[in-house]
């Protein structure tokens, strides 16, 4: 399998994975409507500007480029927005994936690696979280991704589709070469917000919640470097090509860092403290989300290479120093 359709490949994780694919000898064909992605991020293969709702264009793309497999990143991913406008998320993330799977079936493309999320777990009963944890999303974004996981399972049963659903924890960092990085409007991720606040590119950071049952009272998360996510997608693709069974896997490090620890790391990278103000908790934010990624290590023979907090922060800081807040 050498020609890979990368839906959402102009976005943050998709563009970094496209670079990983190109470095590994694959040809990434990016399919993106540029609603959230960026044309400048498409640098590693052909680009088809199109929407997932356009079945005819999808089918033409799959056939014209002789696609061997799909990596599916295209989705809306703002939790708060999904609470305000759930149908937008079910239409784009779920219904449009039906269109993609239908086109894949007609074009006889039988392998897909899906960008899922730890948001499918909701508020976990145990931490670290392994794949046996019950999936009870607490927002439409997580629900829309869980629906797709279920569609993949039933498509496998009915049509022989081979799939891997990769449940990310907190994607972070930027390409160490500085070619691409994280640009989002509005920005909602902690590390770019902290870096930009530290660089004076935005107002002081708001620390949402200082009374969690954690060592310093702030929320704890598992951060995984975006290039390590890209490498895991390639290993998942190879696993399916080698005849591996369809599977869902967590992608994380197993290490949790609090908001205050992240701020300290960003301050160390920049050489001065990050301005920050305490604020009340946000509804629906669990105290801690940490991955048990042992199954991914075993099945994919994958280990994160860039996901120390210092490396994540230093690559993000280098990107935002060069490119500002957008």
């Amino acid at each position: 399998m050498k020609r890979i359709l990368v839906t959402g490949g102009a976005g943050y994780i998709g563009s970094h994975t496209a670079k990983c694919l190109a470095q590994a000898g694959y040809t990434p064909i990016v399919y993106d409507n540029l609603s959230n992605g960026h044309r400048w991020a498409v640098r590693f293969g052909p680009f088809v500007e199109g929407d997932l709702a356009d079945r005819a264009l999808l089918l033409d793309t799959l056939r014209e480029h002789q696609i061997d497999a799909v990596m599916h990143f295209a989705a809306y991913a703002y939790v708060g927005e999904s609470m305000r406008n759930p149908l937008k998320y079910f239409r784009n993330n779920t219904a449009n994936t039906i269109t993609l799977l239908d086109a894949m079936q007609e074009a006889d493309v039988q392998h897909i690696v899906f960008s899922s999320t730890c948001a499918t777990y909701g508020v976990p009963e145990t931490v670290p979280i392994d794949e046996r944890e019950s999936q009870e999303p607490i927002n439409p974004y997580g629900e829309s991704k869980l629906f797709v996981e279920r569609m993949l399972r039933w498509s496998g049963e009915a049509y022989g589709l081979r799939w891997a659903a990769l449940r990310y924890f907190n994607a972070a960092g930027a390409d160490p070469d500085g070619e691409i990085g994280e640009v989002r409007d509005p920005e909602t991720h902690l590390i770019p917000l902290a870096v930009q606040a530290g660089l004076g590119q935005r107002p002081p950071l708001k620390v949402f919640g200082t009374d969690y049952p954690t060592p310093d009272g702030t929320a704890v998360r598992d951060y995984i470097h975006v290039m390590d996510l890209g490498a895991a997608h390639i290993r998942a693709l190879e696993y399916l090509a080698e005849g591996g069974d369809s599977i869902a896997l967590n992608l994380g490090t197993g290490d949790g860092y609090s908001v205050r620890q992240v701020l300290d790391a960003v301050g160390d990278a920049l050489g001065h403290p990050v301005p920050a103000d305490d604020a009340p908790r946000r509804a629906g934010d669990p105290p801690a989300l940490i991955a048990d990624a042992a199954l991914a290590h075993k099945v994919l023979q994958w280990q994160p290479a860039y996901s120390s907090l210092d490396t994540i922060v230093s690559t993000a800081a280098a990107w935002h120093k060069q490119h500002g807040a957008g």
Side-chain angles (χ1 to χ4, degrees), residues 101-187:
L101 294 176
D102 190 41
M104 287 175 62
Q105 184 188 356
E106 185 165 343
D108 196 29
V109 178
Q110 291 296 317
H111 295 83
I112 184 170
V113 181
F114 171 55
S115 167
S116 192
T117 171
C118 65
T120 63
Y121 293 119
V123 180
E125 294 182 3
T126 58
V127 176
I129 304 164
D130 69 22
E131 291 81 359
R132 295 168 295 182
E133 179 74 30
S134 62
Q135 291 178 283
E136 299 178 12
I138 59 172
N139 54 65
Y141 165 65
E143 194 84 68
S144 72
K145 292 282 192 170
L146 180 55
F147 283 161
V148 174
E149 287 197 20
R150 289 172 172 164
M151 291 193 304
L152 293 176
R153 179 168 67 90
W154 289 113
S155 293
E157 294 284 341
Y159 314 124
L161 182 73
R162 307 280 298 290
W163 56 270
L166 304 183
R167 299 171 184 159
Y168 314 158
F169 281 64
N170 287 59
D175 171 25
D177 298 330
E179 289 187 287
I180 48 178
E182 188 169 10
V183 177
R184 184 180 290 102
D185 183 22
E187 183 56 75

Side-chain angles (χ1 to χ4, degrees), residues 191 223 257-258 261-262 265 306-314:
I191 289 176
Y223 296 92
Y257 296 98
S258 72
Q261 287 176 302
V262 170
Y306 297 97
S307 290
S308 70
L309 184 59
D310 287 344
T311 300
I312 288 172
V313 166
S314 65

Side-chain angles (χ1 to χ4, degrees), residues 167-169 222-224 229 250-255 291 293 297 302 304:
R167 299 171 184 159
Y168 314 158
F169 281 64
D222 185 336
Y223 296 92
I224 178 84
L229 289 178
N250 289 339
L251 296 182
T253 65
D255 296 317
H297 301 328
W302 166 80

Side-chain angles (χ1 to χ4, degrees), residues 65-88:
H65 291 276
Q66 299 179 314
I67 297 298
D68 296 305
V70 173
M71 289 188 177
H72 181 29
F73 299 92
Y76 296 139
Y78 291 114
V79 168
E81 181 187 49
S82 80
M83 296 291 286
R84 296 188 299 272
N85 194 354
L87 293 183
K88 176 180 179 179

